[in-house]
Amino acid sequence: MGYKVVVAGATGNVGREMLNILAEREFPCDAIAALASSRSQGVEIEFGETGRMLKVQNLDNFDFTGWDIALFAAG
């Protein structure tokens, strides 16, 4: 069983490092969402060194219902 994980502030240095550590440690994620401000909405960022790309979603409009873990690195 994996978790549904949200990383808010995913385009910043700390957020990217959180994503790298989740991938490096092979954290059991069934789904992962990368969130940031509206300026970064639609940007694609790499999830660890797996080559998997995540499309950044707008933090202001995100529905957290049904997500298991939320990690915040927003200023």
Side-chain angles (χ1 to χ4, degrees):
M1 177 193 130
Y3 297 97
K4 293 177 70 176
V5 180
V6 173
V7 176
T11 57
N13 289 334
V14 175
R16 287 180 190 261
E17 189 60 24
M18 284 182 184
L19 290 169
N20 286 336
I21 291 170
L22 289 170
E24 179 182 286
R25 303 235 176 182
E26 298 178 1
F27 189 81
C29 298
D30 282 344
I32 187 152
L35 307 181
S37 68
S38 59
R39 292 183 312 232
S40 298
Q41 185 175 356
V43 170
E44 290 192 349
I45 58 174
E46 190 172 2
F47 177 47
E49 296 179 6
T50 63
R52 179 176 169 196
M53 300 301 287
L54 302 174
K55 188 172 277 195
V56 175
Q57 300 177 57
N58 188 339
L59 175 61
D60 293 334
N61 302 328
F62 190 77
D63 182 7
F64 288 88
T65 304
W67 291 84
D68 300 310
I69 299 171
L71 304 172
F72 287 82

